[in-house]
């Protein structure tokens, strides 16, 4: 007996859904569960996604956390520590 998979697909924009639609449908038709997470969604691109969810029992979607282009505190700390290591060779030895 084949094992059923749980697949998570993370996509930046909802408009890219049409690239994955046939893959998602094929996986769901084989009994696998697919969860698609979209970081950015626009209402005009959600209709095909809603339609596939209505037609397919094993498909669902939700929102992903979208990381903005601004540097986060951890990234800034890492960057500063890297530069500190270059400025003071005693740190790296």
């Amino acid at each position: 007996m084949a094992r059923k998979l749980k697949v998570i697909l993370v996509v930046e924009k909802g408009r890219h859904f049409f690239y994955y639609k046939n893959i998602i449908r094929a996986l769901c038709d084989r009994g696998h569960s697919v969860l698609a997470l979209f970081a950015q969604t626009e209402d005009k691109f959600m209709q095909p996604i809603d339609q596939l969810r209505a037609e397919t029992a094993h498909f669902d979607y939700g929102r992903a956390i979208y990381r903005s282009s601004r540097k986060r505190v951890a990234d800034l700390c890492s960057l500063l520590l890297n530069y500190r290591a270059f400025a003071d060779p005693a740190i790296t030895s």
Side-chain angles (χ1 to χ4, degrees), residues 73-85:
V73 174
D75 292 338
L76 182 59
C77 290
S78 174
L79 184 66
L80 290 173
L81 288 172
N82 286 340
Y83 281 118
R84 181 175 172 222

Side-chain angles (χ1 to χ4, degrees), residues 29-43:
D29 288 347
R30 290 177 176 88
H32 304 296
S33 298
V34 179
L35 173 65
L37 300 175
F38 300 98
Q40 299 175 358
T41 58
E42 297 176 34
D43 290 338

Side-chain angles (χ1 to χ4, degrees), residues 17-83:
F17 174 74
F18 73 93
Y19 290 119
Y20 306 101
K21 183 179 178 180
N22 292 334
I23 296 168
I24 292 169
R25 186 183 301 276
L27 286 168
C28 292
D29 288 347
R30 290 177 176 88
H32 304 296
S33 298
V34 179
L35 173 65
L37 300 175
F38 300 98
Q40 299 175 358
T41 58
E42 297 176 34
D43 290 338
K44 62 183 178 180
F45 298 113
M46 297 310 291
Q47 183 183 6
I49 300 168
D50 287 330
Q51 182 179 356
L52 183 64
R53 181 167 63 174
E55 296 171 356
T56 309
H58 302 286
F59 172 67
D60 200 9
Y61 71 90
R63 294 279 314 218
I65 298 173
Y66 183 71
R67 182 175 176 182
S68 67
S69 61
R70 291 178 273 164
K71 289 284 184 191
R72 293 182 179 219
V73 174
D75 292 338
L76 182 59
C77 290
S78 174
L79 184 66
L80 290 173
L81 288 172
N82 286 340
Y83 281 118

